[in-house]
Amino acid sequence: MDVGFYLGELLMQQGEVSVPGLGYFVQVRGSGYYNDEERKFYPPYHQAQFDAQSIDDDALAEYIANKKNISVASARYFCEKYITNLKQQAIISEVQLGNLGWFYTELSQLTFKPADKIIDDTIFYGFEPVSINKDKVITPVEERPKVELNFLPNLHKRRRLYLKHQG
């Protein structure tokens, strides 16, 4: 069972997930940006951040139990087994955690390297980069219909008459 996949789903729904025995994950929003070399605007994105301190929380086990139609105790067992295996493999090489990133061991400490962006992000799903062409400068031309104002002479005439009577 790929617990990392379910962790990614739950993180997208709740914005944060604590995994007992592993740590705390939080979803962080990245702003849209412009890549000058490619001449493209990229949409906003989400990325996962990790903190090794976790809170005892059964949210992930409950989510998996619900999705797989198994007991929470069984889901908790699968999570514990997955985390133990992940930690053992991370000593040897990088271990991918769903679409969130990779775990590896550096100086005897488990370290998380997040993916550049979460590709299954439902909020920004389908937003493609927008290309622009900077070489051609297009200046907008606003055409206005020509309107002849034939009442102005009458206005001036009235003003002159008004000023004449005031003086």
Side-chain angles (χ1 to χ4, degrees), residues 22 34 85 106:
L22 185 60
Y34 176 72
N85 188 34
E106 185 175 68

Side-chain angles (χ1 to χ4, degrees), residues 101-121:
W102 298 266
F103 275 103
Y104 61 96
T105 302
E106 185 175 68
L107 303 172
S108 301
Q109 186 166 352
L110 189 65
T111 306
F112 179 72
K113 180 175 87 175
D116 290 336
K117 58 184 169 185
I118 299 173
I119 56 173
D120 298 351
D121 197 345

Side-chain angles (χ1 to χ4, degrees), residues 1-165:
M1 177 184 303
D2 189 2
V3 174
F5 171 76
Y6 293 109
L7 173 61
E9 279 186 354
L10 189 59
L11 184 62
M12 288 293 97
Q13 290 176 15
Q14 295 185 354
E16 61 183 16
V17 178
S18 184
V19 181
L22 185 60
Y24 175 76
F25 292 88
V26 66
Q27 169 186 327
V28 179
R29 181 183 169 149
S31 297
Y33 61 95
Y34 176 72
N35 183 322
D36 200 29
E37 288 179 11
E38 296 178 5
R39 296 182 177 182
K40 290 184 178 180
F41 286 101
Y42 285 86
Y45 61 94
H46 282 121
Q47 195 175 41
Q49 285 188 347
F50 173 75
D51 184 357
Q53 296 180 359
S54 67
I55 302 166
D56 285 338
D57 185 6
D58 279 342
L60 180 60
E62 290 171 1
Y63 181 76
I64 293 172
N66 225 2
K67 287 289 234 176
K68 296 296 279 181
N69 201 19
I70 58 176
S71 70
V72 174
S74 294
R76 197 177 302 124
Y77 168 77
F78 286 123
C79 288
E80 289 170 4
K81 190 174 178 179
Y82 180 84
I83 292 165
T84 302
N85 188 34
L86 183 142
K87 287 180 176 181
Q88 289 173 349
Q89 286 182 344
I91 294 170
I92 301 166
S93 64
E94 284 188 352
V95 180
Q96 189 167 0
L97 180 68
N99 62 357
L100 303 177
W102 298 266
F103 275 103
Y104 61 96
T105 302
E106 185 175 68
L107 303 172
S108 301
Q109 186 166 352
L110 189 65
T111 306
F112 179 72
K113 180 175 87 175
D116 290 336
K117 58 184 169 185
I118 299 173
I119 56 173
D120 298 351
D121 197 345
T122 56
I123 293 177
F124 304 116
Y125 177 77
F127 288 179
E128 294 292 326
V130 177
S131 298
I132 65 165
N133 190 350
K134 281 181 144 180
D135 294 338
K136 295 179 183 177
V137 178
I138 300 171
T139 54
V141 177
E142 186 178 322
E143 291 187 31
R144 295 183 185 166
K146 203 170 195 178
V147 178
E148 290 188 32
L149 302 174
N150 56 8
F151 63 87
L152 281 178
N154 291 337
L155 181 65
H156 290 298
K157 192 175 186 182
R158 286 185 196 155
R159 186 170 181 214
R160 275 187 263 145
L161 287 173
Y162 175 76
L163 292 173
K164 191 176 187 182
H165 290 299

